[in-house]
Amino acid sequence: DIQMTQSPSSLSASVGDRVTITCRASQSIDTYLDWYQQKPGKAPKVLIFAASSLQTGVPSRFSGSGSGTDFTLTIASLQPEDFATYYCQQSYNLPKTFGQGTKVEVK
Amino acid sequence: QVQLQESGPRLVKPSETLSLTCTVSGGSISSYYWSWIRQSPGKGLEWIGYIYDSGTTKYNPSLKSRVTISVDTSQSHLSLKLSSVTSADTAVYYCAREACYFDSRTCFYYFDYWGQGTLVTVSS
């Protein structure tokens, strides 16, 4: 299985901050990498697919980059509704696997 | 607007079979991959497997011997059966649709619609 490792596991930030979350795959996954946001009691919601494509309806302050083994999710200016947990997920190989999550908390 | 709704028993006894249904509304069940995913505190998000409308299935090897996913296209239902459950199978179970983003080379699949999830507890 491809292991997905996110860092940090949690971070504290303020509204307006630029936030960066990284995801590393245990082997090259090209750009078969998606990012999801999950709020408590809710299902994950896709933000970015194919490493850098923004899902329809997702604010442009979210962006993704990377290829191969190293990927980044950036929130350009953190908004109150962005406090949540973020997951990366690879679809290069089966089984599909997720990172362990990064919780973005209020500073 | 596509909507997915999981249903089934919330409490299952150890060694028994967990059975869930996902009802799809607002869109066709055909020509898509449909996955089951679970989330537990101890293991995070775990992909269980998928089915394509033709009935083609793929399962996570970690669960393959215990999992069956099926589809009833006439009823727009997916189902999940997980046998011989233990407390380690306690989790929130989600069904999700996979969308394809096609570029010049290939299809990039991602989960675009999810059910709200249902917590299943394994306990006697």
Side-chain angles (χ1 to χ4, degrees), chain A residues 30 32 36 38 43 87 96, chain B residues 39 94 98 105-106 111 115:
Chain A
D30 194 349
Y32 290 84
Y36 296 85
Q38 187 178 33
Y87 296 92
K96 298 174 189 281
Chain B
Q39 185 171 30
Y94 296 99
E98 293 194 62
R105 297 176 294 142
T106 189
F111 300 113

Side-chain angles (χ1 to χ4, degrees), chain A residues 1 30-32 34 36 38 41-46 49-50 53 55 87 89 91 94-99, chain B residues 35 37 39 45-47 50 58-61 94 98 101 105-112 114-117:
Chain A
D1 297 5
D30 194 349
T31 55
Y32 290 84
D34 310 315
Y36 296 85
Q38 187 178 33
K42 300 293 188 182
K45 167 191 166 185
V46 63
F49 57 89
S53 295
Q55 172 70 337
Y87 296 92
Q89 177 247 318
S91 57
L94 295 180
K96 298 174 189 281
T97 48
F98 294 83
Chain B
S35 282
I37 297 158
Q39 185 171 30
L45 286 160
E46 181 179 29
W47 178 76
Y50 71 50
K58 291 289 186 184
Y59 302 130
N60 192 320
Y94 296 99
E98 293 194 62
Y101 165 68
R105 297 176 294 142
T106 189
C107 200
F108 292 85
Y109 288 100
Y110 61 98
F111 300 113
D112 64 341
W114 296 63
Q116 86 283 3

Side-chain angles (χ1 to χ4, degrees), chain A residues 1-106:
Chain A
D1 297 5
I2 297 175
Q3 305 301 315
M4 307 300 294
T5 303
Q6 290 181 230
S7 60
S9 295
S10 64
L11 65 90
S12 298
S14 301
V15 172
D17 285 352
R18 182 181 182 87
V19 170
T20 299
I21 298 168
T22 63
C23 177
R24 175 164 288 176
S26 60
Q27 68 179 75
S28 177
I29 58 170
D30 194 349
T31 55
Y32 290 84
L33 189 283
D34 310 315
W35 289 98
Y36 296 85
Q37 176 194 67
Q38 187 178 33
K39 295 182 178 178
K42 300 293 188 182
K45 167 191 166 185
V46 63
L47 301 174
I48 302 286
F49 57 89
S52 61
S53 295
L54 191 68
Q55 172 70 337
T56 302
V58 174
S60 59
R61 62 181 179 272
F62 291 94
S63 64
S65 64
S67 67
T69 61
D70 295 313
F71 301 86
T72 299
L73 173 70
T74 299
I75 309 172
S77 177
L78 196 68
Q79 297 302 299
E81 60 268 30
D82 301 338
F83 292 100
T85 301
Y86 295 84
Y87 296 92
C88 61
Q89 177 247 318
Q90 66 81 21
S91 57
Y92 181 78
N93 265 353
L94 295 180
K96 298 174 189 281
T97 48
F98 294 83
Q100 82 281 12
T102 295
K103 188 173 185 178
V104 177
E105 299 174 300
V106 178

